[in-house]
Amino acid sequence: MINVEALKDAIHTRIDAYNQTDYPLSQRRRMVSPLAECSNHILAEDISSPFDVPRQNVSAMDGFAIAKGSCLMAGSTIEIIGESQAGNAFIGSLSPNQGVRIFTGAVIPDDCDTIEMQENTNHAEIKATLDKSQPYDIVLSQDAQPDNHIRRQGEEISQDEVLLTACKRLNPADISLLANLGLAEVNVYAPLKVGIVATGDELVSVGEALTSLAQIYNSNTPTLKSLLDYAKLPISLQDYGIIPDNLEQTQQAIAQAMTECDVLISTAGVSVGDYDFLTTVIEQLGQINHYKVAMKPGKPFVFGELTHNLAKPVLYFGLPGNPLSTVVGSLQFVIPALWQLTGCDPQEIPRPLTVQAKLTTEAQKSPGRADYQRGQLSQDDSGGYQVAIADSQQSHRIKQLSQANCLVVLEKDSESLPAGSMVEVQPFFWSMR
């Protein structure tokens, strides 16, 4: 069995080669996306600013714009001959010792080089009696300084400056930046096509009736869809339903899916049972790169690729059948791999959050496999993290998965740990929102 970190490295290395050779970004389909809909999509081109920001000199304060050559000493009188508002600039010329009332974000007249805050004048004393339709005088209550409180044209962004580069994963702050540049739509890479298939004679789709005690509901497909949706991946999902435990039907289903998808994910059918046909079909239509990983739960994890009669490989991830293994395998391997496959800049790929926490309960474990145990993470009175491990760690227990908010990561060679030990914890990303 390959260990967890070695499998992560192997998947990363294969996808790196896939992105460079099998399906390079230069060959990938692009699409124009409305700005409000492209969060978490991968930018397909560099974005340069169409203009300076600010587009002209603007005031950083409410106050008065004072003409060049004016006396700026405390006690000086400045004649105010107009106003400059955001969206409604002052039109006209000014002489020394003249100025205009100005507001934050308003254009500064070309004749002015000083902004004085209204608090440093007698404005508050005369405000109630002002006739703003006529020129009026203000008196400086302290020395004014030229160039203060002025946001210079282009001081934040210069025209043609590259602001975002291709392969950037667009986030809400990026959307804000692009909106401020007036860009209503941007070019992004089209979502990866990801197929999902479940296997097993015992499975019944959620919502249908169970007609035999031997039947169970297919919980893995909804679980996997929810995980990928919560991860906000730029992918499109195709559900290929449930494949019965039949070699020919498995062949037909996988053969269809591999012609329509970039990635295929299956649940169940990858173990060594007499009716587990997926590994056989994957080897017939491609290859298995790695099978079985030294982890609990999720040991029979498969990473491979489908290549038969294809222009480019379809990467394949085979998850075990129980729901906990689906969750753990997806978090550790599938979701990071999908982010890498999108062409996202490596620095932009979301990393699982890990924290160190003190065990409040014993952690039972035998050496040999990394163990991902369900737990409840909380903060103690001093603000440190503590974690309680669920009573039973059997992988079929679905209620405990719902009650947990994290995975406690126990290393491959670790043995049982007493309460008070420090452990690595991965909070579920859906528990942090």
Side-chain angles (χ1 to χ4, degrees):
M1 288 187 293
I2 190 170
N3 66 49
V4 171
E5 292 306 318
L7 179 57
K8 288 181 179 179
D9 288 343
I11 293 172
H12 185 276
T13 299
R14 178 64 188 97
I15 294 176
D16 195 38
Y18 175 94
N19 285 344
Q20 294 182 33
T21 305
D22 297 306
Y23 197 23
L25 295 179
S26 60
Q27 297 179 11
R28 298 197 184 185
R29 186 170 64 87
R30 304 180 181 195
M31 67 180 194
V32 176
S33 174
L35 184 62
E37 299 175 11
C38 65
S39 185
N40 271 325
H41 283 267
I42 309 304
L43 192 61
E45 63 182 3
D46 293 350
I47 299 291
S48 300
S49 178
F51 46 71
D52 291 335
V53 177
R55 293 175 61 205
Q56 60 281 308
N57 294 344
V58 298
S59 177
M61 293 286 179
D62 289 348
F64 299 92
I66 301 174
K68 300 171 183 177
S70 299
C71 180
L72 301 178
M73 296 176 59
S76 298
T77 298
I78 305 296
E79 181 186 23
I80 304 305
I81 64 171
E83 282 190 352
S84 183
Q85 306 169 14
N88 189 13
F90 172 80
I91 304 297
S93 59
L94 296 99
S95 301
N97 296 319
Q98 287 185 327
V100 297
R101 180 82 165 103
I102 199 165
F103 299 92
T104 302
V107 175
I108 299 172
D110 290 339
D111 294 332
C112 297
D113 64 355
T114 302
I115 301 295
E116 186 56 271
M117 294 187 296
Q118 61 189 27
E119 293 88 344
N120 295 335
T121 72
N122 67 336
H123 178 260
E125 301 168 18
I126 65 174
K127 180 178 180 180
T129 60
L130 284 179
D131 178 4
K132 295 174 66 176
S133 66
Q134 302 294 325
Y136 60 90
D137 291 343
I138 61 163
V139 178
L140 303 181
S141 57
Q142 64 180 50
D143 292 353
Q145 300 296 326
D147 299 323
N148 277 0
H149 314 307
I150 295 175
R151 294 182 58 216
R152 297 290 178 184
Q153 178 177 344
E155 73 173 24
E156 181 181 1
I157 299 171
S158 300
Q159 183 175 351
D160 298 326
E161 178 183 346
V162 176
L163 300 176
L164 300 176
T165 56
C167 299
K168 176 79 168 66
R169 177 171 63 95
L170 295 172
N171 60 46
D174 299 326
I175 305 304
S176 175
L177 173 62
L178 297 174
N180 274 280
L181 299 177
L183 301 179
E185 52 190 26
V186 292
N187 284 318
V188 296
Y189 289 112
L192 287 172
K193 298 178 182 179
V194 178
I196 298 175
V197 62
T199 67
D201 286 340
E202 75 278 17
L203 296 182
V204 174
S205 296
V206 174
E208 297 181 4
L210 299 177
T211 59
S212 165
L213 292 177
Q215 294 178 328
I216 61 173
Y217 283 115
N218 170 27
S219 65
N220 282 332
T221 295
T223 299
L224 190 53
K225 287 181 177 180
S226 180
L227 277 167
L228 299 181
D229 179 64
Y230 241 99
K232 302 300 181 185
L233 283 152
I235 60 176
S236 61
L237 293 176
Q238 175 65 46
D239 183 359
Y240 289 94
I242 299 169
I243 307 174
D245 292 325
N246 176 280
L247 178 58
E248 183 177 350
Q249 288 178 277
T250 303
Q251 291 170 328
Q252 292 173 351
I254 300 303
Q256 177 189 349
M258 64 190 282
T259 64
E260 299 172 348
C261 299
D262 299 305
V263 181
L264 182 62
I265 307 170
S266 70
T267 57
V270 293
S271 192
V272 293
D274 292 349
Y275 298 97
D276 293 325
F277 295 116
L278 266 174
T279 51
T280 299
V281 172
I282 299 305
E283 289 181 316
Q284 290 174 346
L285 300 177
Q287 66 186 48
I288 291 177
N289 297 333
H290 295 282
Y291 176 48
K292 293 186 181 179
V293 56
M295 65 185 290
K296 180 182 178 182
K299 173 182 172 183
F301 179 93
V302 177
F303 171 55
E305 47 198 282
L306 299 157
T307 57
H308 185 65
N309 290 332
L310 296 178
K312 64 177 178 63
V314 170
L315 296 186
Y316 169 75
F317 298 92
L319 295 162
N322 71 64
L324 180 59
S325 294
T326 292
V327 171
V328 174
S330 295
L331 293 176
Q332 304 309 314
F333 306 115
V334 177
I335 291 174
L338 290 176
W339 272 118
Q340 187 185 357
L341 281 165
T342 65
C344 181
D345 184 313
Q347 301 302 315
E348 292 286 321
I349 293 176
R351 299 289 190 268
L353 174 67
T354 61
V355 299
Q356 293 293 311
K358 181 183 292 187
L359 284 173
T360 61
T361 57
E362 180 187 11
Q364 296 184 354
K365 181 186 179 298
S366 298
R369 288 191 284 169
D371 202 344
Y372 294 82
Q373 299 194 6
R374 288 148 291 178
Q376 187 64 233
L377 181 68
S378 60
Q379 285 188 289
D380 58 29
D381 293 338
S382 64
Y385 288 109
Q386 59 186 13
V387 63
I389 290 180
D391 291 340
S392 173
Q393 290 296 320
Q394 294 170 303
S395 59
H396 64 275
R397 292 182 177 267
I398 55 176
K399 184 174 74 170
Q400 287 179 343
L401 176 59
S402 176
Q403 293 173 336
N405 67 1
C406 68
L407 293 173
V408 179
V409 183
L410 304 176
E411 298 298 331
K412 176 176 177 285
D413 297 325
S414 172
E415 297 182 345
S416 295
L417 298 174
S421 301
M422 297 299 294
V423 292
E424 179 183 316
V425 176
Q426 294 180 357
F428 293 141
F429 56 76
W430 56 88
S431 297
M432 298 186 292
R433 297 187 179 183

